[in-house]
């Protein structure tokens, strides 16, 4: 059931129309990417083989395997769901034209600029996406959302809105996500992503755009958020998602074999769907229930999260490899923890030195939100502009 544009959920700060819990969750998920890639030398043997060719591959510990799978299972679907949510909010606030112009700068502009920078740094061909595949998909999702909004076509959002009209209906999302996990994920778990710009990776594109559309539908039904995302059901959903992750650890060894029966995938697919949806909606509900107000700390973390996402991958790999080379006996969890902290601090320093007070902030935050503005005489007018973008980079 769609609601009128002027209605806002009760848990939202109505004076600013901010969803502080979702802001916090988006920043948290961004920083979890640092954790995930700090463990890459253990969970992706090719990284160790390329950077330390004389070292035998190391099997990931059970703890690192569980942590990596838990993050991997829900993090990107959640990103796209939140991106759709904030995209729909921006479209209704400002219209398709300003929305697409903003995303042209902050998503496609950021992607192209840093593809060139990383190509120069690593010697890779321009267009090698690595972790920036998220921005490539997100750009096209925003183009689709803006175009459909301009045409007034939203039947797909009305259909997806059925799942959010009542709290009990959210459970039915397990069915389509299970089918998608079976058909569009590798071994029902692993995302199929593009390696380069011209790689279609259509399975991953279709899988994630449905989460983006679901986020748009959720915004249209935002008056239902207090009912759908109550603390206790959210905690139960998070628990179910975590248990599903543990089950998938045991399924994983079987489904990765070439002789795995198809029936095993039929069982694993709904478990993967529960892991994805349960963790995502559990975290959404808990953050929206308990993060009710903004703060300078939260605003700083939200502002920092996008640059950390862009900067962190090669830094995390380099630090984790250096730590392992210095002490091959170091516990894996300790390496991951040290690398996560060191990478986060390095990215924060890069942001302060290279971005925060330079024109590069235009790419990450938009001209109106940047400290460095030109012409400077327009800064005051821009800060008082009633249409100032406040919806974040991931939306």
């Amino acid at each position: 059931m769609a609601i009128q544009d002027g209605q806002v959920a009760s848990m939202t700060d109505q004076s600013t129309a901010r969803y502080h819990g979702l802001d916090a969750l988006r920043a948290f998920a961004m920083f979890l990417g640092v954790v995930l890639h700090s463990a890459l030398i253990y969970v992706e043997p090719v990284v160790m083989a390329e950077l330390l060719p004389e070292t035998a591959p190391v099997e990931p510990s059970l703890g690192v395997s569980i942590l990596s799978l838990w993050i991997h299972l829900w993090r990107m679907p959640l990103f796209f769901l939140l991106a759709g949510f904030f995209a729909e909010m921006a479209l209704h606030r400002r219209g398709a034209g300003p929305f697409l112009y903003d995303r042209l700068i902050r998503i496609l502009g950021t992607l192209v600029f840093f593809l060139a920078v990383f190509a120069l740094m690593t010697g890779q061909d321009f267009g090698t996406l690595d972790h920036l595949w998220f921005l490539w998909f997100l750009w096209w999702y925003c183009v689709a959302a803006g175009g459909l909004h301009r045409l007034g076509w939203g039947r797909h959002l009305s259909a997806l809105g059925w799942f959010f009209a009542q709290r009990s209906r959210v459970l039915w999302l397990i069915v389509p996500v299970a089918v998608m996990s079976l058909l569009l994920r590798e071994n029902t778990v692993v995302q199929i992503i593009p390696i380069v710009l011209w790689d279609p990776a259509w399975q991953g594109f279709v899988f994630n755009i449905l989460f983006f559309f679901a986020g748009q539908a959720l915004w249209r039904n935002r008056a239902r958020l207090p009912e759908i995302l109550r603390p206790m059901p959210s905690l139960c959903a998070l628990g179910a998602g975590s248990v599903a992750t543990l089950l998938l650890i045991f399924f994983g060894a079987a489904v990765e074999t070439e002789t795995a029966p198809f029936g095993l995938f039929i069982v694993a697919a709904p478990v993967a769907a529960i892991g994805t949806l349960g963790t995502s909606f559990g975290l959404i509900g808990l953050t929206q229930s308990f993060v009710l107000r903004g703060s300078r700390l939260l605003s700083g973390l939200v502002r920092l999260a996008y640059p950390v996402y862009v900067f962190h991958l090669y830094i995390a790999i380099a630090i984790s490899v250096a730590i392992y080379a210095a002490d091959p006996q170091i516990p894996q969890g300790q390496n991951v923890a040290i690398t996560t902290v060191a990478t986060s601090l390095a990215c924060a320093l890069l942001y302060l030195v290279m971005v925060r007070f330079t024109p590069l902030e235009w790419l990450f935050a938009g001209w109106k939100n940047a400290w460095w503005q030109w012409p400077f005489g327009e800064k005051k007018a821009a800060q008082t502009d009633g249409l100032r973008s406040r919806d974040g980079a991931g939306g």
Side-chain angles (χ1 to χ4, degrees), residues 94 96-113 135-136 138-140 142-143 306 362-364 366 393 395:
R94 295 181 286 162
F99 168 79
L100 287 174
Y101 178 75
D102 177 78
R103 269 46 182 183
L104 175 69
I105 302 299
R106 297 172 60 199
I107 296 178
L108 187 61
T110 301
L111 172 65
V112 172
F113 179 83
L135 297 181
W136 185 231
L138 182 58
W139 163 245
W140 290 113
C142 289
V143 169
Y306 188 18
W362 299 349
L363 291 177
F364 289 107

Side-chain angles (χ1 to χ4, degrees), residues 4-292:
Q4 297 299 317
D5 293 341
Q7 292 178 282
V8 180
S10 61
M11 66 177 66
T12 305
D13 184 341
Q14 296 190 22
S15 65
T16 60
R18 293 293 292 188
Y19 291 80
H20 298 295
L22 300 188
D23 280 341
L25 178 57
R26 185 167 50 184
F28 171 68
M30 283 282 193
F31 281 99
L32 277 184
V34 181
V35 179
L36 186 66
H37 293 130
S38 295
L40 210 58
I41 63 168
Y42 300 116
V43 299
E44 292 290 345
V46 66
V47 175
M48 185 80 79
E50 289 181 359
L51 298 179
L52 294 173
E54 298 180 357
T55 302
V58 179
E59 288 291 324
S61 65
L62 180 60
V64 168
S65 296
I66 292 174
L67 179 63
S68 297
L69 179 61
W70 181 74
I71 296 173
H72 178 82
L73 197 59
W74 60 268
R75 180 173 167 266
M76 299 314 299
L78 174 69
F79 268 144
F80 285 113
L81 189 143
L82 293 178
F85 183 94
F86 287 111
E88 188 69 7
M89 181 172 69
L91 282 166
H92 280 263
R93 280 180 173 181
R94 295 181 286 162
F99 168 79
L100 287 174
Y101 178 75
D102 177 78
R103 269 46 182 183
L104 175 69
I105 302 299
R106 297 172 60 199
I107 296 178
L108 187 61
T110 301
L111 172 65
V112 172
F113 179 83
F114 282 99
L115 283 180
V117 170
F118 292 151
L120 290 173
M121 288 174 52
T122 64
Q124 298 179 128
D125 293 336
F126 176 82
T128 302
L129 290 168
D130 286 333
H131 64 303
L132 299 184
W133 68 268
F134 166 69
L135 297 181
W136 185 231
F137 275 7
L138 182 58
W139 163 245
W140 290 113
Y141 297 167
C142 289
V143 169
L148 293 172
H149 180 86
R150 176 68 64 85
L151 294 172
W153 201 88
R155 296 176 185 174
H156 59 303
L157 301 183
S158 298
L160 286 168
W162 180 89
F163 292 100
F164 304 115
Q166 296 177 13
R167 186 174 62 185
S168 59
R169 292 182 184 178
V170 177
L171 293 173
W172 285 101
L173 277 171
I174 294 172
V175 176
V177 174
V179 173
M180 292 193 304
S181 296
L182 182 64
L183 300 178
L184 303 176
R185 278 172 154 177
E186 184 179 342
N187 297 331
T188 74
V189 172
V190 179
Q191 297 242 24
I192 299 174
I193 61 174
I195 305 302
V196 292
L197 285 174
W198 45 91
D199 179 4
W202 66 268
Q203 300 97 325
F205 189 91
V206 173
F207 182 85
N208 288 300
I209 199 172
L210 291 175
F211 281 92
F212 184 89
F213 287 153
Q216 289 184 274
L218 182 60
W219 186 86
R220 290 191 173 194
N221 291 269
R222 60 198 181 280
R224 300 289 185 185
L225 281 174
E227 174 190 351
I228 294 172
L229 304 175
R230 291 178 179 172
M232 187 53 66
S234 297
L235 188 61
C236 293
L238 179 60
S242 300
V243 170
T245 303
L246 293 175
L247 290 176
L248 285 170
I249 290 290
F250 297 102
F251 277 121
V255 299
E256 289 177 1
T257 63
E258 295 182 358
T259 58
F262 185 71
L264 187 61
F265 292 96
I266 297 292
V267 175
V271 176
I274 293 170
T276 299
L277 292 170
T279 307
S280 296
F281 281 99
L283 290 172
I284 290 173
L286 291 175
T287 53
Q288 275 296 98
S289 296
F290 296 109
V291 184
L292 302 179

